Amino acid sequence: MGTRGAGRSLAGLLGTWGVTRAVLLLFVFRVYVFPGPDVTSDVSVIYQGWYETLRHGTFPLDDVTWQYPPAAALAILSPAALPFLSYPHAFFVLAFLADAAVLCLLVRASTRPGRCPRGTWVWVAGLPLLGPTVYARYDVMVTALAVAALLAGARRPRVLGALAGLGALLKVWPALLLAGARPRRAWGSALVTAAGCAALFSVSMPGAFAFLTFQRDRGTEVESLGALVFHVARHFGWRGQVLLNYGSIEFLGPHVHLVSSLALALTGVAFGWLLLWRLRATRFTAQSVADAAFTAVLLFTVTSRVISPQYLVWLIGLAAVCLCFRASGMTAPALMVVVASFVTVLEFPLGFSHVVMSDGYGVTLLFVRNGLLLTAVLTAARSLWRSTVPPLAALPSPRQAAGTKTSASS
């Protein structure tokens, strides 16, 4: 009966994945038009434009919208592997294959002792809630790499480190996968991989790190947590502007620099909390690396000046890995991320005009979505701390610790 029930569960899982992904493909291939702005234009216009530059052996040196580490070139150039398709169609197929790779990794992981299929369902049911944006950005490819790294991390820390190092050169945030990695082998492997790839790009393609100077005058992106200040302020006479800036719709004007600086300060506070947690944490379990990575990425997402819809792809992937472990305490924040993904598609692309105008509907959606993410990060941080940091009462006093050392030496 158990085998038969597991078979039916797997069939339901695969059937749901197949139906939802077919719908996503119909949208990105424009068989059916998804309401709102055309999210596929980033691939057919921006990505393809970068592709034409990159394939000639140089980075887009004069394009301030190129804001990615050098290994991102691999994702932008990847459609060349399918020369029989147009660039956009090849990209969508590769994004679909990355999605399928995550599914396979999660299904395989869920069959091991101490694991369960909850995480796989988070990926299968949560990802399509973001709509066609999922296949119209290269984030699903980076997320596949991150999922593979975390699932390998428990037994093969060097693999975790190498994949995290490569991922950091694809889109920076996978470096946070190492937040809970204890063995030095993982960190060493990450540094060697990142340094080697960075050196290779530096000597082979001009402008590998030009992106570092392209964001000095950024504003506050309209979907971020800090942007809520200006959405409300517009109703009280704030005279700033909403403009396309550095490839995203941002607030520019009075006090924007202050709010952006506060966001950077909050990111610093988040880093400080992670460092304190790392120094205090002693009770590591099989799921700790995944739980720490999910919490770290949530922290840096919520405090960022930019919260683009595709950032939810990262969070869904990491939440899925966490919930593959039966003992993970990340169930509540994972469900909040899934609900936030549905609210995200309501605000982009479906209601983006309302967000840009800061009307009641758009502002309400942002308050709900960002409120869910803020609650998720606080809940995740609390759960991670409680599961890994012993209570102060359980710690030995300095006198007891000295006595223990004396006994051990005698």
Side-chain angles (χ1 to χ4, degrees):
M1 289 294 291
T3 304
R4 188 176 302 174
R8 283 198 297 266
S9 176
L10 180 60
L13 191 75
L14 296 178
T16 303
W17 183 87
V19 171
T20 54
R21 274 44 178 191
V23 172
L24 290 180
L25 287 173
L26 290 173
F27 283 133
V28 293
F29 278 96
R30 309 283 293 173
V31 176
Y32 296 104
V33 178
F34 199 80
D38 179 15
V39 299
T40 64
S41 62
D42 273 27
V43 176
S44 58
V45 178
I46 299 175
Y47 284 12
Q48 191 163 1
W50 290 338
Y51 170 83
E52 295 299 330
T53 301
L54 290 166
R55 72 189 186 96
H56 289 102
T58 184
F59 285 90
L61 300 177
D62 300 320
D63 187 350
V64 295
T65 63
W66 175 261
Q67 300 162 16
Y68 306 107
L74 301 177
I76 303 302
L77 291 169
S78 62
L82 302 176
F84 48 88
L85 294 174
S86 68
Y87 182 90
H89 289 176
F91 185 91
F92 301 145
V93 169
L94 291 173
F96 166 80
L97 292 176
D99 180 3
V102 174
L103 174 71
C104 293
L105 288 168
L106 292 171
V107 168
R108 182 182 178 188
S110 66
T111 61
R112 293 175 179 166
R115 311 286 181 88
C116 66
R118 291 184 308 164
T120 315
W121 275 110
V122 167
W123 180 257
V124 169
L127 195 69
L129 294 179
L130 289 167
T133 302
V134 171
Y135 288 169
R137 305 290 188 273
Y138 80 88
D139 296 82
V140 68
M141 303 173 186
V142 184
T143 302
L145 191 71
V147 169
L150 288 177
L151 291 176
R155 297 182 179 182
R156 294 180 287 276
R158 285 196 180 93
V159 175
L160 165 62
L163 293 179
L166 176 59
L169 286 184
L170 275 167
K171 208 162 188 181
V172 181
W173 68 265
L176 296 171
L177 302 179
L178 297 171
R182 297 186 68 196
R184 293 181 181 179
R185 289 173 293 176
W187 288 83
S189 179
L191 288 173
V192 169
T193 301
C197 291
L200 181 63
F201 277 107
S202 295
V203 300
S204 62
M205 295 179 70
F209 293 95
F211 77 98
L212 293 172
T213 63
F214 284 171
Q215 301 192 46
R216 284 179 291 192
D217 299 318
R218 287 208 73 144
T220 294
E221 192 260 345
V222 295
E223 297 168 272
S224 65
L225 189 66
L228 292 172
V229 174
F230 300 111
H231 282 294
V232 174
R234 292 177 83 182
H235 293 272
F236 294 91
W238 181 73
R239 296 187 177 277
Q241 295 177 296
V242 178
L243 297 173
L244 179 64
N245 191 47
Y246 291 91
S248 64
I249 305 298
E250 298 182 351
F251 282 116
L252 298 172
H255 311 301
V256 171
H257 179 72
L258 173 61
V259 171
S260 296
S261 297
L262 288 174
L264 290 174
L266 282 175
T267 299
V269 171
F271 179 81
W273 183 89
L274 276 175
L275 182 60
L276 176 63
W277 165 78
R278 189 57 199 259
L279 292 173
R280 292 284 309 279
T282 57
R283 301 184 303 194
F284 286 87
T285 56
Q287 69 272 8
S288 295
V289 173
D291 289 353
F294 178 51
T295 303
V297 175
L298 262 173
L299 279 167
F300 284 88
T301 298
V302 170
T303 59
S304 173
R305 289 178 294 173
V306 179
I307 303 181
S308 296
Q310 59 267 28
Y311 291 14
L312 276 294
V313 177
W314 320 339
L315 297 175
I316 291 172
L318 299 182
V321 176
C322 291
L323 265 61
C324 273
F325 295 91
R326 291 185 186 276
S328 175
M330 296 295 160
T331 301
L335 292 177
M336 292 178 202
V337 165
V338 170
V339 176
S341 299
F342 176 67
V343 181
T344 296
V345 81
L346 294 180
E347 62 93 359
F348 183 88
L350 294 176
F352 197 58
S353 61
H354 297 278
V355 171
V356 172
M357 292 187 295
S358 301
D359 65 19
Y361 178 69
V363 174
T364 299
L365 287 176
L366 284 181
F367 265 103
V368 172
R369 196 281 301 273
N370 291 346
L372 283 166
L373 292 180
L374 182 59
T375 306
V377 71
L378 294 175
T379 306
R382 180 171 176 265
S383 175
L384 179 66
W385 187 277
R386 287 190 165 188
S387 64
T388 56
V389 177
L392 288 174
L395 295 174
S397 67
R399 184 175 297 177
Q400 289 173 323
T404 302
K405 290 181 180 179
T406 303
S407 300
S409 61
S410 60

